[in-house]
Amino acid sequence: MTSAVATAAAGDFVVMGVVNVTPDSFSDGGLYLDPSAAIEHGLELERSGASILDVGGESTRPGANPVSEEEELRRVVPVIEGLRTAGSAAQISIDTSKAAVAKAALAAGATLVNDVTALRGDEEMAAVVAGAGADCCLMHMLGEPRTMQRNPHYDDVVGEVKRFLEQRMELAVSHGVSESRILLDPGIGFGKTTEHNLELLRRLDELVALGRPVAIGTSRKSFLGRITAKPVEDRIAATIATNVLAYERGARVFRVHDAGPIHDALAIVAATVKRQWATTTPTSSTMSTT
Ligand code: HH2
């Protein structure tokens, strides 16, 4: 199976579809708690253009309550196994900050660990990722989910996020994670005001300059609602705008709930920017000149 991280490093865009197996996620909590519903949802995201499926069993929304390791394992492992059994060709990502959950998910067929704490949440995590030779997404967050949106402050949000990501990448590499397997993510909405999020989007090229593919997760987030006054179920256009802007600034991995519209928007932008296009099959985002 090809690594979507390698695809992104080569310059092609990659849609990462969100599979939340949670009762309390901010936009789709409770919809896919049943494993068969989550598996079907993942397959549908893949048919719509997602080449990574990001399976998560714990909400990180502001104020969310922590979930026990046992409960998180109970939620995510059957879904990962089910996606593999169903023949999904997508790269499966596990959205967790617990090393034991990452380990079980990797054994079940995941090959990417998406850790919103950037390996700070569990001291075993770096060793688990390195030991499995897995891909890894390192995300910036100020504080922790329960309290992160209480007056976040930065002197220079882009400079501070950049320094943090650089340091976490160094730490990951020092633990044996191959640099070629790392994705970097500014963590839109994680300890950030609307102005911080917009500044990070505007100056995303400064993070791209770190030399690894940048992932971005704006999908349906509250800052979009604050600007458009739209409820969470009506933020697709706003999500497309931010992802197109992020692509233009150099991001290559796009974590979204609505894979189809975002895939199509990015296919057009990529074709325009690269002066290359081909009709893509619904499950492929590969661009070619043939
Ligand atoms: N955002 C969320 C969760 N995980 N991971 C990365 N790398 N980047 C993100 O921006 C990101 C993430 C929040 O979105 P969602 O999973 O839909 O919500 P919840 O945490 O409530 O389940």
PDB file of all heavy atoms in Angstrom, residues 250-265:
ATOM      1  N   GLY A 250       0.682  26.100   0.001  1.00  0.00           N
ATOM      2  CA  GLY A 250       1.623  24.980   0.077  1.00  0.00           C
ATOM      3  C   GLY A 250       1.202  23.771   0.887  1.00  0.00           C
ATOM      4  O   GLY A 250       1.933  22.781   0.935  1.00  0.00           O
ATOM      5  N   ALA A 251       0.038  23.807   1.563  1.00  0.00           N
ATOM      6  CA  ALA A 251      -0.422  22.611   2.298  1.00  0.00           C
ATOM      7  C   ALA A 251      -0.751  21.511   1.297  1.00  0.00           C
ATOM      8  O   ALA A 251      -1.127  21.786   0.150  1.00  0.00           O
ATOM      9  CB  ALA A 251      -1.659  22.940   3.133  1.00  0.00           C
ATOM     10  N   ARG A 252      -0.597  20.257   1.704  1.00  0.00           N
ATOM     11  CA  ARG A 252      -0.879  19.151   0.775  1.00  0.00           C
ATOM     12  C   ARG A 252      -1.785  18.068   1.362  1.00  0.00           C
ATOM     13  O   ARG A 252      -2.257  17.209   0.626  1.00  0.00           O
ATOM     14  CB  ARG A 252       0.440  18.521   0.294  1.00  0.00           C
ATOM     15  CG  ARG A 252       1.183  19.404  -0.716  1.00  0.00           C
ATOM     16  CD  ARG A 252       0.380  19.615  -1.990  1.00  0.00           C
ATOM     17  NE  ARG A 252       1.027  20.509  -2.951  1.00  0.00           N
ATOM     18  CZ  ARG A 252       0.778  21.823  -3.034  1.00  0.00           C
ATOM     19  NH1 ARG A 252      -0.093  22.396  -2.219  1.00  0.00           N
ATOM     20  NH2 ARG A 252       1.383  22.555  -3.948  1.00  0.00           N
ATOM     21  N   VAL A 253      -2.034  18.078   2.657  1.00  0.00           N
ATOM     22  CA  VAL A 253      -2.946  17.092   3.248  1.00  0.00           C
ATOM     23  C   VAL A 253      -4.106  17.860   3.882  1.00  0.00           C
ATOM     24  O   VAL A 253      -3.895  18.803   4.649  1.00  0.00           O
ATOM     25  CB  VAL A 253      -2.234  16.220   4.308  1.00  0.00           C
ATOM     26  CG1 VAL A 253      -3.214  15.232   4.944  1.00  0.00           C
ATOM     27  CG2 VAL A 253      -1.064  15.459   3.662  1.00  0.00           C
ATOM     28  N   PHE A 254      -5.328  17.456   3.549  1.00  0.00           N
ATOM     29  CA  PHE A 254      -6.510  18.219   3.913  1.00  0.00           C
ATOM     30  C   PHE A 254      -7.462  17.320   4.700  1.00  0.00           C
ATOM     31  O   PHE A 254      -8.053  16.393   4.143  1.00  0.00           O
ATOM     32  CB  PHE A 254      -7.167  18.785   2.646  1.00  0.00           C
ATOM     33  CG  PHE A 254      -6.197  19.645   1.867  1.00  0.00           C
ATOM     34  CD1 PHE A 254      -5.323  19.073   0.954  1.00  0.00           C
ATOM     35  CD2 PHE A 254      -6.110  21.001   2.127  1.00  0.00           C
ATOM     36  CE1 PHE A 254      -4.380  19.846   0.278  1.00  0.00           C
ATOM     37  CE2 PHE A 254      -5.166  21.792   1.454  1.00  0.00           C
ATOM     38  CZ  PHE A 254      -4.306  21.210   0.525  1.00  0.00           C
ATOM     39  N   ARG A 255      -7.558  17.573   6.008  1.00  0.00           N
ATOM     40  CA  ARG A 255      -8.383  16.730   6.885  1.00  0.00           C
ATOM     41  C   ARG A 255      -9.805  17.285   6.892  1.00  0.00           C
ATOM     42  O   ARG A 255     -10.038  18.378   7.403  1.00  0.00           O
ATOM     43  CB  ARG A 255      -7.784  16.732   8.299  1.00  0.00           C
ATOM     44  CG  ARG A 255      -8.492  15.797   9.256  1.00  0.00           C
ATOM     45  CD  ARG A 255      -7.867  15.859  10.645  1.00  0.00           C
ATOM     46  NE  ARG A 255      -8.512  14.930  11.548  1.00  0.00           N
ATOM     47  CZ  ARG A 255      -9.656  15.186  12.173  1.00  0.00           C
ATOM     48  NH1 ARG A 255     -10.262  16.337  12.013  1.00  0.00           N
ATOM     49  NH2 ARG A 255     -10.192  14.273  12.985  1.00  0.00           N
ATOM     50  N   VAL A 256     -10.747  16.514   6.317  1.00  0.00           N
ATOM     51  CA  VAL A 256     -12.096  17.045   6.111  1.00  0.00           C
ATOM     52  C   VAL A 256     -13.182  16.005   6.391  1.00  0.00           C
ATOM     53  O   VAL A 256     -12.942  14.804   6.313  1.00  0.00           O
ATOM     54  CB  VAL A 256     -12.285  17.556   4.656  1.00  0.00           C
ATOM     55  CG1 VAL A 256     -11.366  18.727   4.370  1.00  0.00           C
ATOM     56  CG2 VAL A 256     -12.086  16.446   3.636  1.00  0.00           C
ATOM     57  N   HIS A 257     -14.379  16.513   6.707  1.00  0.00           N
ATOM     58  CA  HIS A 257     -15.542  15.641   6.883  1.00  0.00           C
ATOM     59  C   HIS A 257     -16.256  15.402   5.553  1.00  0.00           C
ATOM     60  O   HIS A 257     -16.905  14.376   5.383  1.00  0.00           O
ATOM     61  CB  HIS A 257     -16.538  16.279   7.861  1.00  0.00           C
ATOM     62  CG  HIS A 257     -15.950  16.578   9.213  1.00  0.00           C
ATOM     63  ND1 HIS A 257     -15.277  17.740   9.489  1.00  0.00           N
ATOM     64  CD2 HIS A 257     -15.924  15.840  10.344  1.00  0.00           C
ATOM     65  CE1 HIS A 257     -14.862  17.716  10.751  1.00  0.00           C
ATOM     66  NE2 HIS A 257     -15.240  16.578  11.284  1.00  0.00           N
ATOM     67  N   ASP A 258     -16.190  16.370   4.635  1.00  0.00           N
ATOM     68  CA  ASP A 258     -16.951  16.314   3.369  1.00  0.00           C
ATOM     69  C   ASP A 258     -15.956  16.093   2.223  1.00  0.00           C
ATOM     70  O   ASP A 258     -15.580  17.033   1.523  1.00  0.00           O
ATOM     71  CB  ASP A 258     -17.721  17.624   3.192  1.00  0.00           C
ATOM     72  CG  ASP A 258     -18.560  17.940   4.424  1.00  0.00           C
ATOM     73  OD1 ASP A 258     -19.581  17.269   4.630  1.00  0.00           O
ATOM     74  OD2 ASP A 258     -18.160  18.832   5.199  1.00  0.00           O
ATOM     75  N   ALA A 259     -15.552  14.836   2.034  1.00  0.00           N
ATOM     76  CA  ALA A 259     -14.439  14.556   1.127  1.00  0.00           C
ATOM     77  C   ALA A 259     -14.739  14.947  -0.322  1.00  0.00           C
ATOM     78  O   ALA A 259     -13.875  15.481  -1.019  1.00  0.00           O
ATOM     79  CB  ALA A 259     -14.061  13.075   1.205  1.00  0.00           C
ATOM     80  N   GLY A 260     -15.958  14.678  -0.800  1.00  0.00           N
ATOM     81  CA  GLY A 260     -16.275  14.895  -2.219  1.00  0.00           C
ATOM     82  C   GLY A 260     -16.084  16.339  -2.667  1.00  0.00           C
ATOM     83  O   GLY A 260     -15.295  16.610  -3.599  1.00  0.00           O
ATOM     84  N   PRO A 261     -16.777  17.294  -2.048  1.00  0.00           N
ATOM     85  CA  PRO A 261     -16.633  18.687  -2.490  1.00  0.00           C
ATOM     86  C   PRO A 261     -15.210  19.212  -2.347  1.00  0.00           C
ATOM     87  O   PRO A 261     -14.726  19.958  -3.210  1.00  0.00           O
ATOM     88  CB  PRO A 261     -17.577  19.461  -1.561  1.00  0.00           C
ATOM     89  CG  PRO A 261     -18.504  18.453  -0.982  1.00  0.00           C
ATOM     90  CD  PRO A 261     -17.813  17.119  -1.032  1.00  0.00           C
ATOM     91  N   ILE A 262     -14.521  18.816  -1.279  1.00  0.00           N
ATOM     92  CA  ILE A 262     -13.160  19.335  -1.080  1.00  0.00           C
ATOM     93  C   ILE A 262     -12.226  18.701  -2.110  1.00  0.00           C
ATOM     94  O   ILE A 262     -11.356  19.375  -2.689  1.00  0.00           O
ATOM     95  CB  ILE A 262     -12.676  19.113   0.375  1.00  0.00           C
ATOM     96  CG1 ILE A 262     -13.269  20.165   1.305  1.00  0.00           C
ATOM     97  CG2 ILE A 262     -11.160  19.279   0.472  1.00  0.00           C
ATOM     98  CD1 ILE A 262     -14.633  20.030   1.736  1.00  0.00           C
ATOM     99  N   HIS A 263     -12.400  17.403  -2.380  1.00  0.00           N
ATOM    100  CA  HIS A 263     -11.577  16.744  -3.398  1.00  0.00           C
ATOM    101  C   HIS A 263     -11.735  17.450  -4.743  1.00  0.00           C
ATOM    102  O   HIS A 263     -10.752  17.745  -5.433  1.00  0.00           O
ATOM    103  CB  HIS A 263     -11.956  15.265  -3.523  1.00  0.00           C
ATOM    104  CG  HIS A 263     -11.227  14.577  -4.636  1.00  0.00           C
ATOM    105  ND1 HIS A 263     -11.684  14.606  -5.939  1.00  0.00           N
ATOM    106  CD2 HIS A 263     -10.058  13.904  -4.659  1.00  0.00           C
ATOM    107  CE1 HIS A 263     -10.820  13.961  -6.707  1.00  0.00           C
ATOM    108  NE2 HIS A 263      -9.839  13.520  -5.959  1.00  0.00           N
ATOM    109  N   ASP A 264     -12.988  17.731  -5.128  1.00  0.00           N
ATOM    110  CA  ASP A 264     -13.227  18.347  -6.435  1.00  0.00           C
ATOM    111  C   ASP A 264     -12.621  19.747  -6.504  1.00  0.00           C
ATOM    112  O   ASP A 264     -12.002  20.121  -7.510  1.00  0.00           O
ATOM    113  CB  ASP A 264     -14.730  18.410  -6.729  1.00  0.00           C
ATOM    114  CG  ASP A 264     -15.307  17.023  -7.008  1.00  0.00           C
ATOM    115  OD1 ASP A 264     -14.522  16.052  -7.070  1.00  0.00           O
ATOM    116  OD2 ASP A 264     -16.537  16.922  -7.145  1.00  0.00           O
ATOM    117  N   ALA A 265     -12.797  20.513  -5.444  1.00  0.00           N
ATOM    118  CA  ALA A 265     -12.235  21.877  -5.428  1.00  0.00           C
ATOM    119  C   ALA A 265     -10.720  21.822  -5.573  1.00  0.00           C
ATOM    120  O   ALA A 265     -10.118  22.559  -6.362  1.00  0.00           O
ATOM    121  CB  ALA A 265     -12.624  22.586  -4.131  1.00  0.00           C
TER     122      ALA A 265
END
